[in-house]
Amino acid sequence: LSIRRQRQMCIRDRLAREQGLSSIRVQKSGCLDFCENGISCVVYPEGTWYQLSKDMDIASIIQHLKDGTVSTVNLMKLDSE
């Protein structure tokens, strides 16, 4: 891994730990096949999809990671549903 990539991973890990999230993994990916909805993230194992924007409520997604509460504000509407 490059030094830059190692730093990015350390920052993400540190930020997760600061939020009390010691057992999560943040993984960069390519297209997740819902590009028409903009930038996205998916929380596994339940497979909850979020549409990300600069105005998003990141605290609600962190809350989901902490206790499983789904953020309906940022929830992505998938065509398959």
Side-chain angles (χ1 to χ4, degrees):
L1 293 173
S2 71
I3 301 269
R4 180 176 180 217
R5 179 77 175 125
Q6 289 175 12
R7 275 193 208 130
Q8 288 173 338
M9 291 170 65
C10 288
I11 290 169
R12 284 193 303 227
D13 289 344
R14 187 185 74 228
L15 292 173
R17 281 193 309 275
E18 287 174 1
Q19 292 295 322
L21 302 168
S22 60
S23 62
I24 68 162
R25 177 179 177 181
V26 177
Q27 181 67 42
K28 180 181 174 185
S29 74
C31 179
L32 295 171
D33 292 329
F34 291 101
C35 297
E36 66 275 7
N37 294 320
I39 300 170
S40 62
C41 76
V42 61
V43 177
Y44 288 113
E46 66 272 20
T48 303
W49 287 77
Y50 289 111
Q51 186 171 355
L52 308 179
S53 72
K54 63 181 175 182
D55 298 327
M56 66 178 283
D57 180 10
I58 191 69
S60 62
I61 293 176
I62 290 171
Q63 192 64 38
H64 176 167
L65 296 171
K66 286 182 175 180
D67 66 13
T69 302
V70 175
S71 168
T72 57
V73 173
N74 301 308
L75 197 60
M76 184 182 291
K77 306 294 186 239
L78 302 176
D79 291 335
S80 61
E81 294 181 340

